[in-house]
Amino acid sequence: MGMEVLLDDRDKKTSPGVKFAESELIGIPHRVVISPRSLADGVVEYTSRRMARNRKFKKREIRGFSCQDS
């Protein structure tokens, strides 16, 4: 199974909330957020549109994660 990645690397003037709202509008099914804050906490944040909830993974656990597990 393949996977496409969309990196939202717009300038810092565009807030994360705007980016998240736009990802919902265009129908992105899975969102992985890697931010300075999450990296400082040692986690990566995952959100699935289908489950409508956030999960946090330790950085070392993300390699074994599959979107099908959510």
Side-chain angles (χ1 to χ4, degrees):
M1 173 171 77
M3 186 180 303
E4 291 183 39
V5 176
L6 174 64
L7 174 64
D8 193 340
D9 61 351
R10 287 180 278 180
D11 58 31
K12 294 185 180 195
K13 294 178 186 176
T14 307
S15 73
V18 169
K19 293 177 182 182
F20 297 158
E22 289 180 358
S23 73
E24 289 289 323
L25 286 173
I26 62 174
I28 302 294
H30 304 279
R31 182 175 73 216
V32 176
V33 177
I34 303 170
S35 67
R37 182 185 300 174
S38 66
L39 289 177
D41 293 340
V43 297
V44 174
E45 299 174 38
Y46 167 77
T47 304
S48 168
R49 282 178 52 103
R50 185 168 33 131
M51 301 301 282
R53 64 185 171 108
N54 291 347
R55 292 176 63 185
K56 292 186 179 182
F57 294 91
K58 292 181 180 175
K59 289 187 290 186
R60 66 178 176 270
E61 296 173 337
I62 197 72
R63 179 177 284 179
F65 173 73
S66 166
C67 293
Q68 294 175 346
D69 296 339
S70 58

